[in-house]
Amino acid sequence: MKTEDEEKVKGLPENAFRELKDGEEYKPIMSPDKQYKEVTPWSVTWGLLMAVVFSAAAAYLGLKVGQVFEAAIPIAIIAVGLSSGLKRKNALGENVIIQSIGATSGVIVAGAIFTLPALYILQAKYPEITVDFFQVFMSSLLGGILGILFLIPFRKYFVKDMHGKYPFPEATATTQVLISGEKGGGQAKPLIFAGIIGGLYDFVIATFGAWAETFSSRVLPFGAEIAEKAKVVFKVNVGAAVLGLGFIVGLKYAAIICAGSILVWFVIVPVLPLLSESLLQGLNPSYVDGIASFAPEKIFSDFARHIGIGGIAMAGIIGIIRSWGIIKSAIGLASKEFKGGNKQGEVVIDKRTQRDLPMKIITIGVVLALIVTFIFFYFGVIHNLMHAVIAILVVGVIAFLFTTVAANAIAIVGTNPVSGMTLMTLILASVVMVAVGLKGTSGMVAALIIGGVVCTALSMAGGFITDLKIGYWLGSTPAKQQSWKFLGTLVSAATVGGVILVLNKTYGFTGDNALVAPQANAMAAVIEPLMMGAGAPWLLYGIGALIALLLTFMKVPALAFALGMFIPLELNIPLLIGGAINWYVGSRSKDQALNTARVEKGTLLASGFIAGGALMGVVSATMRFAGLDLVNEEWSAGDASQYLALVMYVLVIVYLGYSSLKAKKETI
């Protein structure tokens, strides 16, 4: 019988990706009528190990370049390789649990690094601000728990009722990897090989400074003069991890992100010095004078980036409006199940693959999580009863409302607009807190901790819907995925808290050679003027909001464009290069199956670049934290190291493109 079951794992059923006809039922690979190995010491141990490793890697990469890679696919491939290498039979259910627990890393990291490093950024200016591990850990943990609990009532709507209506791109890719694992773990080989190449490449840059990490047009003839006088500069990060990220993002979204960067860096930044001092003061009340002497990077951080912030906030509002029908439908579905309880629940509970945690447990869990969050706010952050009550109301309402926006975004395009929604949360929380008398540095800390909880909740909601869709396609037990997700959240939150402390002591988030942490810097830029009584750059936010509205009217993804406007240029150009490689390898042949195989091979290689580069980045940071600094500063700061960086970057690009083109289509 086992042999027969194993032979069935050839691919998803024919109706996996299309809408079901009347009376038609989707039958997953693992039959709802049978029991399978899912939660075992093997799957839990490896899932937790993946959560620790990928939490550390994702935190480093996210703070360095502002992009958090999705860990689901690399973890799935590793799980497949382990089970195949050790010849574990019928390991599909276990691999789903490994992936589900491990993937907690990426979502917790996204929630934490977008907000909490802003505390360190502000601490550099206001020494009275204190930041400790407990604050970082608790905000990540509580946000993750709320995200899980808020999403579970929406599972049936997104995963089952809307079957075939949403593409779920990341869930699709991860599911295909897990299925292929039942036929062998060969897919892990290119990922591991690329991981070694990408890891060593980025390790040599970070540890020894053998070549520059960023190539700048300032090293070219007249480049420095153009940057100084015309305020025009071109930069590209030559890291392997960022290149791999661009390949996975794809040409369409990379081009839109880069378009936002080009508008800011090659139009807005050069034009701003031509404006009058009074107009510049109106655009940003914190501006004093002397923009003519500013470097392009300072003009970007003081002015242009705020336009991107306004665009991101407006994109979040548009997402809420568009998703209002989904919110109402899902609430209705959840309340029906809660009220109907046993009558409607009997049939569902009989089916293993449709068994969620009971609604009573969810409700009690939400209440308890909110109570603990309130206690954390009152005793650990705010120390004022009224302010703590208002803070918990802000968290509860916004986290619940935005849950469906996050899940909907993941279901349609595979990307979670959590940063835009968090910016909205920070602005709203700051305005409310100032109105009730909480301002200054204590207000900054309170608003950022609130933002951290909400951001992590939304990140978790978006990421968890992917896990649940994977489980639906393959036939996992939802209640088991949901139960063990809490343990993954605990481990990931503890890991992220520790990594952020290490990276802050090693590199810092302000000053020369600091980690970029673009989202956290944006959050700090929003919070400070609101809490210190200075006027916020509302006009710049408004310009960004208008651009987002115009883009939406033109059917251009406003969020991607706005992200491009506030993430530094050197981190967006590699996305375009990686996306262009994806397009190139996927369009060379007239045989579409071969094109698909090449892109899939490239995705594996790019995932290896990302995981290897990020993991070795953590190793390098740990070495420097321990006092082992091997960088040759004189060489790495010179022009020759930048020219060498360009040569090495071309070699990595050629490797990624050539190896992808060598892929062969699978013969069945």
Side-chain angles (χ1 to χ4, degrees):
M1 236 3 206
K2 282 185 179 180
T3 306
E4 187 182 335
D5 286 343
E6 288 167 26
E7 286 175 359
K8 287 179 183 176
V9 184
K10 297 293 185 185
L12 290 172
E14 174 274 331
N15 60 358
F17 302 113
R18 63 168 174 81
E19 294 184 41
L20 302 177
K21 299 170 186 173
D22 289 340
E24 186 181 8
E25 185 181 354
Y26 174 74
K27 295 182 179 178
I29 289 172
M30 293 187 286
S31 171
D33 304 319
K34 296 181 182 179
Q35 296 296 323
Y36 296 84
K37 289 186 299 181
E38 293 183 75
V39 177
T40 63
W42 168 273
S43 61
V44 173
T45 301
W46 278 107
L48 292 176
L49 183 61
M50 293 296 103
V52 170
V53 171
F54 280 87
S55 291
Y60 173 78
L61 186 69
L63 290 167
K64 193 172 184 63
V65 304
Q67 296 283 347
V68 177
F69 70 90
E70 294 297 341
I73 294 175
I75 290 171
I77 294 171
I78 291 170
V80 161
L82 287 167
S83 60
S84 300
L86 296 173
K87 303 193 184 312
R88 290 183 72 85
K89 302 291 185 183
N90 296 321
L92 188 58
E94 288 182 315
N95 288 343
V96 172
I97 295 296
I98 291 173
Q99 180 276 324
S100 187
I101 294 174
T104 308
S105 56
V107 296
I108 293 293
V109 165
I113 69 166
F114 283 6
T115 51
L116 301 176
L119 291 168
Y120 292 109
I121 293 165
L122 291 169
Q123 187 183 47
K125 194 170 182 180
Y126 305 100
E128 64 268 28
I129 291 177
T130 57
V131 191
D132 57 44
F133 172 82
F134 181 74
Q135 289 176 322
V136 178
F137 168 67
M138 286 300 292
S139 61
S140 298
L141 175 64
L142 293 170
I145 289 172
L146 284 171
I148 295 168
L149 293 170
F150 281 150
L151 182 73
I152 291 173
F154 295 91
R155 184 196 71 84
K156 287 190 178 71
Y157 174 79
F158 281 109
V159 166
K160 185 172 183 288
D161 297 356
M162 301 300 287
H163 177 84
K165 295 179 181 177
Y166 290 141
F168 280 97
E170 189 193 347
T172 301
T174 310
T175 302
Q176 297 291 8
V177 168
L178 291 169
I179 291 172
S180 71
E182 294 301 284
K183 296 183 283 183
Q187 285 196 66
K189 290 178 184 176
L191 179 126
I192 292 169
F193 191 66
I196 293 169
I197 291 175
L200 288 174
Y201 179 95
D202 284 358
F203 182 74
V204 168
I205 296 175
T207 307
F208 305 106
W211 54 87
E213 189 174 19
T214 302
F215 176 83
S216 167
S217 60
R218 284 188 172 94
V219 305
L220 301 173
F222 308 111
E225 192 175 348
I226 292 170
E228 184 184 348
K229 294 182 178 177
K231 309 301 180 188
V232 174
V233 65
F234 174 86
K235 292 181 176 181
V236 57
N237 180 291
V238 300
V242 198
L243 180 70
L245 197 68
F247 189 98
I248 291 175
V249 167
L251 185 59
K252 177 186 173 183
Y253 277 95
I256 294 167
I257 291 169
C258 256
S261 256
I262 289 165
L263 173 65
V264 163
W265 285 90
F266 299 148
V267 178
I268 294 173
V269 168
V271 165
L272 281 168
L274 305 177
L275 303 179
S276 68
E277 292 290 323
S278 59
L279 182 53
L280 290 168
Q281 183 73 40
L283 289 173
N284 187 351
S286 62
Y287 168 72
V288 184
D289 57 34
I291 195 170
S293 63
F294 286 6
E297 291 84 353
K298 183 166 176 59
I299 298 173
F300 167 73
S301 62
D302 287 5
F303 287 91
R305 189 178 57 185
H306 293 292
I307 297 173
I309 292 171
I312 290 170
M314 178 53 72
I317 294 171
I318 293 167
I320 287 277
I321 294 168
R322 286 181 165 176
S323 301
W324 192 246
I326 296 170
I327 293 171
K328 288 199 297 184
S329 300
I331 291 172
L333 199 73
S335 66
K336 269 186 191 175
E337 184 184 332
F338 187 69
K339 290 176 184 174
N342 297 331
K343 293 181 182 177
Q344 295 181 350
E346 297 284 342
V347 180
V348 175
I349 289 174
D350 284 343
K351 279 208 164 188
R352 178 185 60 78
T353 53
Q354 291 304 320
R355 193 181 303 144
D356 289 305
L357 288 176
M359 278 303 299
K360 287 181 181 177
I361 289 180
I362 301 302
T363 306
I364 293 167
V366 168
V367 171
L368 286 176
L370 289 173
I371 289 172
V372 174
T373 307
F374 169 75
I375 293 169
F376 167 56
F377 284 166
Y378 181 55
F379 290 103
V381 183
I382 298 174
H383 311 296
N384 178 289
L385 185 62
M386 184 182 72
H387 294 163
V389 169
I390 292 168
I392 197 65
L393 287 174
V394 170
V395 165
V397 172
I398 294 179
F400 180 73
L401 280 178
F402 279 166
T403 291
T404 51
V405 179
N408 197 34
I410 288 286
I412 294 172
V413 297
T415 54
N416 191 350
V418 66
S419 55
M421 294 185 285
T422 303
L423 276 167
M424 273 187 61
T425 303
L426 286 177
I427 293 169
L428 180 60
S430 297
V431 170
V432 171
M433 288 300 174
V434 168
V436 297
L438 183 61
K439 53 182 73 172
T441 54
S442 57
M444 292 182 204
V445 173
L448 283 168
I449 295 293
I450 290 169
V453 174
V454 172
C455 188
T456 309
L458 301 181
S459 183
M460 175 60 76
F464 194 26
I465 200 67
T466 294
D467 295 342
L468 294 171
K469 186 64 178 181
I470 293 166
Y472 172 78
W473 271 327
L474 297 178
S476 297
T477 308
K480 290 181 180 179
Q481 287 181 284
Q482 292 157 7
S483 301
W484 289 91
K485 198 73 172 175
F486 292 108
L487 183 58
T489 299
L490 174 67
V491 170
S492 295
T495 305
V496 168
V499 169
I500 288 177
L501 291 180
V502 169
L503 292 176
N504 177 60
K505 289 184 179 178
T506 308
Y507 298 106
F509 303 109
T510 57
D512 295 335
N513 302 317
L515 293 170
V516 175
Q519 287 91 345
N521 269 286
M523 307 298 176
V526 168
I527 287 285
E528 186 181 2
L530 289 170
M531 286 296 179
M532 296 308 289
W538 294 111
L539 278 176
L540 293 173
Y541 294 157
I543 292 168
L546 287 174
I547 290 173
L549 286 170
L550 181 62
L551 290 168
T552 303
F553 179 74
M554 296 166 63
K555 301 192 185 307
V556 175
L559 183 68
F561 192 94
L563 281 169
M565 287 195 290
F566 88 81
I567 293 177
L569 176 70
E570 63 266 28
L571 302 176
N572 291 329
I573 296 296
L575 297 185
L576 187 61
I577 295 170
I581 298 170
N582 183 318
W583 167 81
Y584 182 80
V585 302
S587 61
R588 292 305 88 198
S589 174
K590 293 180 180 177
D591 185 343
Q592 193 53 46
L594 180 57
N595 285 335
T596 301
R598 287 170 170 173
V599 171
E600 287 176 355
K601 172 79 177 291
T603 301
L604 287 173
L605 297 173
S607 297
F609 277 2
I610 291 168
L615 286 170
M616 293 311 292
V618 173
V619 173
S620 180
T622 305
M623 288 172 61
R624 293 177 72 173
F625 178 67
L628 193 60
D629 189 351
L630 305 175
V631 175
N632 184 335
E633 298 289 353
E634 187 179 347
W635 161 258
S636 61
D639 291 356
S641 73
Q642 291 201 42
Y643 285 117
L644 177 58
L646 212 53
V647 173
M648 299 304 295
Y649 195 47
V650 169
L651 291 177
V652 171
I653 290 169
V654 170
Y655 165 74
L656 179 57
Y658 179 71
S659 298
S660 301
L661 286 171
K662 284 177 66 179
K664 296 176 182 177
K665 65 179 180 179
E666 186 178 350
T667 54
I668 298 173

